[in-house]
Amino acid sequence: MQKVADLHVHTNVSDGTFTPEKVVEYARMKGLDAIAITDHDTCEAISPAILAARDMAIEIIPGVELTAELEEDEIHILGYFIDWQNKVFTKKLEELCRVREERAREILRKLAELGIDLKYDDLIDIAGHGPGSVGRLHIANLLYKKGKISCVRDAFTKYIGNNSPCYVKKFKLSPKEAVDMIKSVGGVAILAHPKTINTEARPLKDIIGVLVTEGIQGIEVYHSDHNAKDSREFKEIADEYKLLITGGSDCHGMGKKEVLLGKVKVPYELVEKLMLSCAKA
Ligand code: AMP
Ligand code: ZN
Ligand code: FE
Ligand code: FE
């Protein structure tokens, strides 16, 4: 049988709800041969996941998801096959997490101005991993837990989404800085979920063209939020620029209706192509 992989998975060291061990257990249940752990600004889940998977035929691909800013717009960049234990790299990630903490406090201050009082300690409680990669999904979950919204999506539309009153930008890397950070530790840099990119000012193809000049090597063509038409469009762009193709569920643990892990499965051949394109190769 053809081997398959899910190349975009979060754990509870960032804003997922599953521990690294639980993620590995789900991966086995879903029949995956490989998963990439791609937490926001942290690689703390990778060693525990590798340890949990050591007696199973599941490969853990070390990854990360970084946030970059392209002319005011937020884009996410995935790094694969990184040397996640590199000291300079982990120092940089720690700094990004420190900025996340400051930003989370700032978002809470903005919510307080609207009469919504949330405690930072409660946020850290809900994140469940001490200070670290704390993010907006944690704030959304806390808003929900405190009965301030009726569903997590509402948190983003009403309060903390990119165009909402309590949105706070975090210190973001330029696309080139994010790409270079990934390549500096032997990784391959892929544009995550292109569907979320703001295309009001210019077509996606042009934006991706710019990102290619900044060193992006591939596109996440398959993603839980992409329909067949989206993926077709992204694949065409990838082919045009001769980019790598990846796909993943972007599972954040227990969703409202289902666990997304394994919902997007890509053939292992794509993983092999990624491997061959690493900065090390
Ligand atoms: P952050 O890195 O703290 O800015 O948070 C980004 C994360 O928030 C994403 O990875 C998603 O998990 C989540 N997120 C962003 N926008 C939305 C949205 N509109 N609905 C639900 N979750 C979202
Ligand atoms: Zn996330
Ligand atoms: Fe993302
Ligand atoms: Fe993600």
Side-chain angles (χ1 to χ4, degrees):
M1 224 168 44
Q2 198 189 33
K3 281 169 73 177
V4 288
D6 181 340
L7 297 175
H8 194 155
V9 182
H10 294 271
T11 77
N12 70 344
V13 312
S14 70
D15 57 357
T17 57
F18 292 158
T19 60
E21 293 77 14
K22 189 96 185 155
V23 162
V24 170
E25 204 181 305
Y26 261 100
R28 189 176 52 85
M29 260 161 34
K30 302 276 177 166
L32 291 161
D33 300 286
I35 53 168
I37 305 277
T38 54
D39 279 307
H40 302 278
D41 300 335
T42 175
C43 289
E44 295 284 318
I46 294 170
S47 295
I50 290 173
L51 206 62
R54 71 192 183 285
D55 296 326
M56 297 177 204
I58 295 175
E59 178 184 350
I60 306 295
I61 297 161
V64 71
E65 183 171 17
L66 301 176
T67 306
E69 192 176 289
L70 178 69
E71 294 160 20
E72 298 280 301
D73 289 324
E74 185 173 319
I75 62 165
H76 291 184
I77 298 178
L78 293 157
Y80 292 110
F81 293 106
I82 49 174
D83 174 8
W84 79 100
Q85 287 162 318
N86 176 290
K87 288 274 186 310
V88 177
F89 183 72
T90 49
K91 270 266 167 289
K92 281 189 196 157
L93 292 181
E94 279 167 23
E95 171 62 14
L96 293 176
C97 287
R98 200 188 55 72
V99 173
R100 278 183 168 274
E101 285 174 45
E102 279 172 17
R103 174 212 192 209
R105 288 182 194 276
E106 182 63 25
I107 294 176
L108 296 193
R109 271 194 289 276
K110 286 199 164 195
L111 284 166
E113 282 169 19
L114 296 186
I116 299 174
D117 273 309
L118 299 177
K119 291 192 182 64
Y120 187 74
D121 285 352
D122 288 346
L123 184 66
I124 295 305
D125 262 6
I126 219 160
H129 53 57
S133 184
V134 64
R136 283 184 287 165
L137 195 55
H138 297 126
I139 297 176
N141 287 334
L142 184 58
L143 282 164
Y144 180 73
K145 190 178 159 197
K146 297 286 179 187
K148 307 290 183 192
I149 46 170
S150 54
C151 71
V152 162
R153 197 157 283 274
D154 272 2
F156 288 89
T157 43
K158 286 191 182 159
Y159 301 116
I160 57 175
N162 292 21
N163 299 307
S164 306
C166 303
Y167 176 65
V168 177
K169 279 187 184 180
K170 53 181 180 264
F171 164 80
K172 290 193 196 102
L173 306 162
S174 70
K176 179 142 189 348
E177 282 169 329
V179 166
D180 287 349
M181 201 172 144
I182 289 163
K183 290 185 180 173
S184 75
V185 283
V188 48
I190 305 289
L191 175 67
H193 42 68
K195 195 173 178 174
T196 59
I197 294 180
N198 180 356
T199 52
E200 272 165 31
R202 55 193 163 155
L204 183 66
K205 205 180 118 202
D206 295 1
I207 298 171
I208 292 178
V210 172
L211 293 172
V212 170
T213 65
E214 317 258 285
I216 281 279
Q217 295 160 282
I219 314 180
E220 188 175 47
V221 166
Y222 307 100
H223 183 277
S224 305
D225 291 336
H226 297 173
N227 60 33
K229 185 168 164 282
D230 295 327
S231 294
R232 246 193 331 271
E233 180 196 337
F234 304 146
K235 167 116 181 14
E236 271 171 25
I237 297 177
D239 289 345
E240 197 157 324
Y241 290 113
K242 298 194 167 39
L243 295 173
L244 294 160
I245 289 165
T246 70
S249 63
D250 207 354
C251 174
H252 281 78
M254 190 51 80
K256 205 165 137 197
K257 287 179 288 198
E258 57 179 337
V259 173
L260 292 177
L261 205 143
K263 197 176 169 197
V264 176
K265 288 185 178 130
V266 296
Y268 193 77
E269 286 157 37
L270 296 184
V271 178
E272 288 168 337
K273 286 189 181 152
L274 271 185
M275 231 182 297
L276 290 172
S277 304
C278 286
K280 278 180 294 221

